[in-house]
């Protein structure tokens, strides 16, 4: 897409090892790629290869041992982009109402301003959760819980959303719809996204580019730009695109042929 040209972040030769009494576990080696403004990037790779480690480094939770991350904001400023993080489980608190869950991030960050709370109101309405604001999380469907988790994340107005296998706790059918739904909402909000998934079909249907990692220590095996010819660019329709199977085969080859 034409508006996606500028790298807001650039990872250059990132390396990382965990150190313990038992020795060193090298998780990442020489990882380089850019994250463009408004882009959806999927990261795929074998279990335990270093995907979550990489996301933690992008989030600024871990400092890379080797390499650098270059920030390149649209307005020329040098501050690190504001990050929103969504994990495997929705992490909603059962003892809080839906409303008090979606405002939790604001509360913890002392950002319960009128503007932010109005933005939350709009999201609750847009996402159809308005009527459920006084319910407990257990009274919501899996999809509604993920929507609530997304509102909580978006309330802090992140520029870059990082999602670590956010749908893997859902059953297959639900996941198809919820992942398409959540990604549509993130696109509509104009955010940049990096998502880890172990589901190749999910990666192809959601992402603009797919970063394929090798087994541990993870190196970048391939970077696949996804271009599907579709009248309707919804993630569900993407699975019926004529090119879909070809992308799947490419990724499958990359993942199963270790060299
Ligand atoms: P993935 O998300 O791809 O499954 P991770 O990034 O979680 O992989 O982990 C990569 C490797 O680093 C694994 O071998 C894991 O056991 C190891 N690892 C992850 N976190 C720690 C930690 N805190 N201390 C030591 N080793 C870790
Ligand atoms: Mg992980």
């Amino acid at each position: 897409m034409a508006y996606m040209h500028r790298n807001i972040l650039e990872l250059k030769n990132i390396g990382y090892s965990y150190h313990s009494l038992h020795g060193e576990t090298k998780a990442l080696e020489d990882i380089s790629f850019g994250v463009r403004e408004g882009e959806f990037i999927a990261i795929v790779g074998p279990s335990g290869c270093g995907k979550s480690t990489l996301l933690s480094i992008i989030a600024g939770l871990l400092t890379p041992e080797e390499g650098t991350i270059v920030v390149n904001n649209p307005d020329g400023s040098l501050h690190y982009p504001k990050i929103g993080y969504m994990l495997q489980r929705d992490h909603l608190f059962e003892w809080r109402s839906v409303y008090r869950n979606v405002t939790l991030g604001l509360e913890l960050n002392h950002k319960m301003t009128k503007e932010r709370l109005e933005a939350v109101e709009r999201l609750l309405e847009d996402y159809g959760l308005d009527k459920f604001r006084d319910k407990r999380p257990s009274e919501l469907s899996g999809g509604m819980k993920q929507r609530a988790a997304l509102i909580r994340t978006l309330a802090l107005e992140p520029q870059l959303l990082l999602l670590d296998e956010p749908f893997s706790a859902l059953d297959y059918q639900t996941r198809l719809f919820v992942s398409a739904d959540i990604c549509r909402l993130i696109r509509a909000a104009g955010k940049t996204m990096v998502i880890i998934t172990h589901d190749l079909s999910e990666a192809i249907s959601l992402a603009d580019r797919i970063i394929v990692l090798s087994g541990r220590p993870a190196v970048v095996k391939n970077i696949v730009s996804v271009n599907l010819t579709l009248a309707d660019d919804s993630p569900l329709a993407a699975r019926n695109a004529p090119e879909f199977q070809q992308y799947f085969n490419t990724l499958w080859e990359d993942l199963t042929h270790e060299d």
Side-chain angles (χ1 to χ4, degrees):
M1 276 176 251
Y3 66 93
M4 291 192 283
H5 48 277
R6 170 194 282 273
N7 282 329
I8 54 169
L9 281 185
E10 224 166 302
L11 283 72
K12 293 189 169 173
N13 315 106
I14 298 293
Y16 192 86
S17 302
Y18 290 100
H19 301 273
S20 73
L21 291 175
H22 314 288
E24 184 186 70
T25 306
K26 191 152 187 55
L28 304 173
E29 192 167 294
D30 198 25
I31 306 273
S32 299
F33 62 89
V35 179
R36 297 174 195 146
E37 189 180 9
E39 185 179 36
F40 278 24
I41 288 184
I43 296 174
V44 301
S47 176
C49 76
K51 301 182 293 298
S52 296
T53 304
L54 181 56
L55 213 63
S56 296
I57 285 176
I58 298 173
L61 298 171
L62 291 176
T63 310
E65 283 188 324
E66 292 154 32
T68 49
I69 299 186
V70 178
V71 176
N72 187 12
N73 288 318
D75 62 2
S77 65
L78 291 172
H79 68 82
Y80 204 78
K82 281 201 281 176
I83 304 285
Y85 216 124
M86 273 179 71
L87 300 167
Q88 207 151 353
R89 303 197 153 268
D90 50 59
H91 288 291
L92 299 173
F93 294 107
E94 187 56 25
W95 43 274
R96 287 189 151 227
S97 66
V98 168
Y99 183 76
R100 296 202 58 227
N101 267 288
V102 298
T103 55
L104 179 63
L106 292 179
E107 199 179 308
L108 292 176
N109 288 279
H110 308 291
K111 291 201 169 130
M112 297 276 265
T113 61
K114 183 162 165 283
E115 289 74 28
R116 301 277 177 123
L117 291 173
E118 279 168 6
V120 165
E121 286 304 320
R122 281 195 297 277
L123 289 169
L124 282 168
E125 235 164 79
D126 290 352
Y127 295 5
L129 285 175
D130 197 28
K131 294 186 291 291
F132 298 89
R133 61 170 61 228
D134 297 322
K135 301 274 190 226
R136 299 286 152 173
S138 61
E139 296 174 270
L140 303 183
S141 68
M144 288 160 79
K145 281 186 214 167
Q146 287 291 351
R147 281 181 166 214
L150 180 62
I151 294 177
R152 186 179 55 194
T153 306
L154 291 180
L156 287 161
E157 296 177 5
Q159 292 161 282
L160 173 61
L161 284 170
L162 305 177
L163 285 70
D164 195 346
E165 306 202 28
F167 312 119
S168 53
L170 303 170
D171 65 76
Y172 180 72
Q173 300 269 26
T174 311
R175 194 168 83 220
L176 279 183
F177 288 100
V178 173
S179 62
D181 176 55
I182 293 297
C183 288
R184 180 179 58 77
L185 298 176
I186 294 173
R187 280 240 196 246
K191 305 294 179 188
T192 306
M193 178 174 94
V194 179
I195 182 171
I196 294 175
T197 175
H198 58 257
D199 181 334
L200 299 184
S201 301
E202 191 170 276
I204 300 162
S205 65
L206 301 179
D208 300 306
R209 272 192 309 156
I210 303 172
I211 314 281
V212 186
L213 299 180
S214 71
R216 187 168 62 80
V219 300
V220 176
K221 264 199 125 172
N222 198 0
I223 297 183
V224 179
S225 290
V226 182
N227 291 294
L228 301 171
T229 46
L230 283 172
D232 160 13
D233 67 354
S234 79
L236 284 175
R239 293 170 193 253
N240 297 319
E243 304 86 355
F244 193 89
Q245 192 61 43
Q246 190 53 52
Y247 281 117
F248 192 96
N249 293 346
T250 302
L251 294 170
W252 184 256
E253 287 278 309
D254 286 337
L255 285 175
T256 51
H257 289 78
E258 288 285 343
D259 33 37

